Structures are given as structure tokens and as C-alpha cells.
Amino acid sequence: MDIITGYTGSPHVTAEQDRDVNIGIFGAESYVLRTGSRLKAEVSSNNEIKVRDGVIMHQGCAASIKKNTYDSLTIANGSQGMKRVDLIVARYSRDQNTKEESLVLKVIQGTPKESGPAVPGYTTGDIQAGDLIADMPLYQVTLNGLNITEVKQLFATQDSIAELSSKLTETTAGLSKANNSLGVIGTQYFGKTASYSYRNANNWVNNVAKVTLPKGTYIFTITAKPQALGQNLDAFTLGVTGVSWWEAQSTSLIYFGSGFYPTCTHTFVASVNAGTYGLAIWSSHNRTVNDVEITATRIK
């Protein structure tokens, strides 16, 4: 194994190694990166197209046009009454004798025709396989008579890792939202109230936290943290409204002690119709109840 990003006392990093690293990050295809002017093409005249600054990643080979500059490309004169299609490509080439490599913009001229001119061919090539030429099409230039009538972009742009991460987050959120609306297996529904003031001792209070569910079978998990008010022993009950009480309710007899906040939890499985279901609480004393939460995970 050869170290790439490390000092060895002599030059050792090869272009092939550097391209392999880029391929591992960006893929083996060819892109224009989202920096600078992204190689924007401007028609300066019927004989000149300016390609503005930017960076390309061509099969792992990086090249750039410096910021606030451009490369000027000459378009051969068109012919009166004839149509033609030219290609602007980024051409990688390697000298077979000296092994020197370059990547430059080049115009491949098409053949004039009265109608339906063909797009000229180009050399695809595989740089890492050792091919001497590999073209990356950038623009298709259409001429009608003497005039350039269209400059069509052919390349794709590649997002940065930060942009891809942001899009992945948005996609994940969208899928989660779609799953929630469809109610697919494994979808979780949450309802939570950070703090609730229970001021109706020995009575049920419904819908302290609630979830809206499609019809299905769910694992319900309900939790709450009743705050101690000095009692040594207390009855505290959790339940879910709209579900049979023998499944949905659980009573805890709690020794609070001084300033103790116990966590009361109950889990059960129930099949329910579509509707809204709320967490209910009952206590033998008035008290503050923290972290009242209901979770329903669909299993069928």
C-alpha cells in the first residue's frame, strides 16, 4: 500500500491516485461543480463563444477556468442557407511519449446540411483505463446560416456534500410525512405535553397529549412523571381514551419520598379505528405532571 496524503521525503502522489480519490467522492462520471460561474457559455458574436469560470470533474480529473476570467472559443463561419451543429467539449489528452496530460476546451465542428444536421461525434474514452483522449460534452451549438441560434447545455452539475446532505434531510422528512399519511408498517406517531397541571383529584382528565391514527394495530407506549407533593403513597393511573380500559389503563402505587419524580410507563397492543386518541391521567392528588407522552407504532 502506498500513502497518498502523507509526506515521504520525495514527490510520490500520481495523477491516477488523485483521480481515484475524486472518483470515490464524486463518482466516475463527469460533472461541472457548483462553484464560480459553472462554465456558463456566452455568445459574444457569431464566431466567438466565451465560457466563464468554474470547475469540472471529468472522470475524476479536475480542471478549472480561473475566477473572473473566461476561455474564448472560435466558431467557424456558418454557410448561407445551411445549418450546422458544433460541439464544445472538455478534452482530456495524454501524450503517449512524454506522458504529459492536459484538459482543455475544444470545438468539434459538424457537417453543414440544408436540414437536419447531425451532431458531430466525440471520443468518450476512459482516462483511468489509459485512453489517450476522453471528451466531456459541454455545449451543443446550433448555427442557421451565418447565425448562432442556440447554445444548449449538455453537462450535469454536481452538488457539494453539504447540499446533498441538506437534500437528503429534506427527502427523509418528506418520506416520513408520506409514511405518516399512508400509515405504513413501522410508522410512529407522537403526542407530547412538557408539563400539565392536574387540578381535579380523583377524576380522569382526557387528551393531555394525543395522536391521530389511521385504522390499524399499534403498540401504544404512554409515559408521565407526576411531581411529588409530600405524599408517601399515591395512586396514579395512565390511560388512553377510546381504547378498552383493561388494555389502556395502568395504575401505579408510588412512594414519592421528598422531591422524587417517578416515571410511570405503560405499554400495550391494540387494534383501533381511524381517529384521534389521547393520553388520560387520574391521580389521588392534585399535582404537576411532567413529560406526558403517547407513542403509537403501527405493526399491522
Side-chain angles (χ1 to χ4, degrees), residues 194-237:
S195 179
Y196 181 78
S197 181
Y198 180 84
R199 292 293 179 262
N200 198 11
N202 299 313
N203 286 278
W204 280 104
V205 176
N206 296 314
N207 300 327
V208 178
K210 56 188 177 180
V211 291
T212 300
L213 307 174
K215 182 178 180 179
T217 302
Y218 297 85
I219 299 174
F220 286 89
T221 301
I222 51 180
T223 60
K225 294 181 180 180
Q227 180 177 343
L229 295 177
Q231 298 83 3
N232 288 327
L233 194 62
D234 188 12
F236 185 82
T237 304

Side-chain angles (χ1 to χ4, degrees), residues 41-74:
E42 298 177 356
V43 177
S44 181
S45 71
N46 287 322
N47 294 108
E48 183 188 29
I49 291 179
K50 296 177 179 178
V51 178
R52 294 288 176 182
D53 59 281
V55 176
I56 71 169
M57 189 63 66
H58 179 26
Q59 297 182 21
C61 183
S64 70
I65 298 174
K66 292 180 181 178
K67 282 191 178 298
N68 301 317
T69 66
Y70 60 86
D71 281 5
S72 178
L73 297 170
T74 299

Side-chain angles (χ1 to χ4, degrees), residues 79 81-85 111-117 142-145:
S79 305
M82 304 292 282
K83 297 179 180 179
R84 194 180 82 221
V85 177
T111 302
K113 287 186 66 177
E114 290 185 357
S115 64
T142 301
L143 292 90
N144 190 346

Side-chain angles (χ1 to χ4, degrees), residues 55-126:
V55 176
I56 71 169
M57 189 63 66
H58 179 26
Q59 297 182 21
C61 183
S64 70
I65 298 174
K66 292 180 181 178
K67 282 191 178 298
N68 301 317
T69 66
Y70 60 86
D71 281 5
S72 178
L73 297 170
T74 299
I75 303 298
N77 287 330
S79 305
Q80 194 70 42
M82 304 292 282
K83 297 179 180 179
R84 194 180 82 221
V85 177
D86 293 351
L87 274 183
I88 296 175
V89 300
R91 171 163 290 181
Y92 163 88
S93 60
R94 179 171 58 87
D95 187 285
Q96 194 167 14
N97 297 317
T98 67
K99 310 303 181 185
E100 290 184 1
E101 299 168 297
S102 64
L103 206 160
V104 298
L105 300 186
K106 179 179 178 61
V107 178
I108 301 176
Q109 186 173 322
T111 302
K113 287 186 66 177
E114 290 185 357
S115 64
V119 178
Y122 61 92
T123 304
T124 54
D126 186 335

